[in-house]
Amino acid sequence: MADLTPLTAIGEFALIRRLQQGINSRQPGTVLGIGDDAAIIAPTPGAELVMTTDLLVEGIHFDLAFCPLRHLGYKAVAVNVSDVAAMNALPTQLVVGVSAGPRFTVEAIEELYAGLRLACEAYNVDLVGGDTTASRGGLTLAVTVLGEAPAGAAVRRSGGKPTDLLCVSGDLGGAFLGLQVLEREKQAFLADPDTQPELANYEYVVQRQLRPEARLDIVHELRELGIRPTSMIDISDGLASEVLHLCAASGTGARVFSEFLPLANPTLEAAAEFNLDPITCALTGGEDYELLFTVPVTAHDQIKNHPDITVIGHLTAPAEGANLITRAGQPVALQAQGWTSF
């Protein structure tokens, strides 16, 4: 195995030059990327600019015991692109800050950036700059993404109206079950370092945890259908939490029907193995990075047969509150029990 290079052996500027290699601009609005004091971006006339930023901290948001650096780089981009998608916008440029402790080598940071570049290619985003610095602890990433939407097309959380249909993309709960699998295998390894991880039967849920995908495809497809959601949010902290966010911003209540929640078979199988309720996993697990959005009732015929959009309920008058309706027809108040930062 080739010798690995300490970061101190080449310094910050040589590291930046190495990381800059292979990073190409794709967006017409990118005037100047990496290499100067700041990037130069020329927003498209008649467009709205959106911007989001996210911090990923080792030991809080990710565990390198089971999260490969390349996957981490990809996920760091995807979770920010997901926020842009939740505004009904398309990502254009990003900057990334990296703070790395002394145990990280040049090759490790290059592997992280390989994942960043893969995600930029997948989402047609230009990596135009950022910062690198030393850390006395572990690894921290800070990613900021810019995006654009046609003037008046950006969607907020606050536009929902009573009777609007409540929709979700993809399926829910898988990322949480993937985390349970990875945590179990980590504990098995710590108890016996000769133990090999058993992940063959959990590929889907593990992938949902380690390498989620932002749902830009849904943004494109809704535009093709001529549908502008009335409100939208991405599902990072659990469905229940996100429904409550939409209701609070829109001044509504909601009825979510448990029987309509989309759950993939691998998620159901993993939930049964861990003796967990899959509905609870969907409501409070988080990190699915699907889109939760509302549309007028008049759009029902356009989306009812979409293979990757599920109508899970509808908004109501605020006095009715936000409730999960069980299969028996009983309302249960939704509670935000998903991820919290503090």
Side-chain angles (χ1 to χ4, degrees), residues 96-186:
V96 57
V98 177
S99 176
R103 79 177 195 275
F104 292 92
T105 63
V106 171
E107 290 77 10
I109 303 303
E110 288 181 322
E111 184 70 4
L112 175 71
Y113 265 73
L116 290 168
R117 289 198 304 272
L118 284 171
C120 287
E121 292 170 7
Y123 298 123
N124 194 32
V125 184
D126 290 345
L127 174 53
V128 296
D131 194 18
T132 57
T133 186
S135 167
R136 294 183 179 180
L139 181 66
T140 298
L141 301 177
V143 180
T144 298
V145 177
L146 297 179
E148 290 183 6
V155 173
R156 307 178 186 185
R157 300 178 183 182
S158 57
K161 301 289 189 296
T163 75
D164 279 356
L165 300 177
L166 194 60
C167 307
V168 69
S169 66
D171 57 84
L172 306 175
F176 177 73
L177 269 305
L179 181 60
Q180 306 315 301
V181 171
L182 292 167
E183 290 284 3
R184 182 183 67 186
E185 296 305 310
K186 175 185 175 181

Side-chain angles (χ1 to χ4, degrees), residues 54-129:
D54 223 12
L55 275 172
L56 296 174
V57 180
E58 184 178 357
I60 302 295
H61 302 99
F62 61 89
D63 187 338
L64 291 179
F66 51 70
C67 182
L69 285 166
R70 186 172 296 218
H71 281 52
L72 176 62
Y74 193 100
K75 184 174 182 178
V77 174
V79 301
N80 280 273
V81 169
S82 182
D83 282 330
V84 171
M87 302 295 294
N88 198 38
L90 300 177
T92 52
Q93 290 89 13
L94 70 82
V95 294
V96 57
V98 177
S99 176
R103 79 177 195 275
F104 292 92
T105 63
V106 171
E107 290 77 10
I109 303 303
E110 288 181 322
E111 184 70 4
L112 175 71
Y113 265 73
L116 290 168
R117 289 198 304 272
L118 284 171
C120 287
E121 292 170 7
Y123 298 123
N124 194 32
V125 184
D126 290 345
L127 174 53
V128 296

Side-chain angles (χ1 to χ4, degrees), residues 172-323:
L172 306 175
F176 177 73
L177 269 305
L179 181 60
Q180 306 315 301
V181 171
L182 292 167
E183 290 284 3
R184 182 183 67 186
E185 296 305 310
K186 175 185 175 181
Q187 294 306 315
F189 174 79
L190 292 175
D192 180 5
D194 293 327
T195 299
Q196 294 298 314
E198 298 179 1
L199 301 176
N201 295 326
Y202 309 101
E203 290 182 4
Y204 182 77
V205 295
V206 167
Q207 181 84 350
R208 294 284 285 172
Q209 169 59 219
L210 293 182
R211 188 171 159 168
E213 293 287 356
R215 298 311 305 262
L216 286 181
D217 57 324
I218 298 297
V219 175
H220 285 292
E221 289 169 18
L222 289 174
R223 289 185 181 184
E224 291 171 2
L225 290 169
I227 297 173
R228 179 182 180 272
T230 52
S231 65
M232 187 152 56
I233 191 171
D234 77 328
I235 303 175
S236 56
D237 302 329
L239 177 65
S241 176
E242 314 306 0
V243 170
L244 291 172
H245 283 314
L246 282 190
C247 290
S250 294
T252 68
R255 288 166 64 88
V256 177
F257 295 87
S258 64
E259 62 188 292
F260 297 149
L261 295 183
L263 302 165
N265 285 334
T267 300
L268 293 171
E269 293 166 1
E273 182 176 337
F274 282 88
N275 196 29
L276 293 170
D277 176 15
I279 298 297
T280 301
C281 295
L283 290 173
T284 65
E287 291 202 287
D288 288 312
Y289 297 105
E290 297 292 347
L291 293 176
L292 174 71
F293 58 96
T294 56
V295 297
V297 172
T298 52
H300 180 260
D301 286 347
Q302 292 174 273
I303 63 172
K304 66 180 181 181
N305 294 321
H306 193 291
D308 218 18
I309 294 176
T310 304
V311 178
I312 60 170
H314 60 87
L315 298 185
T316 68
E320 295 186 34
N323 295 286

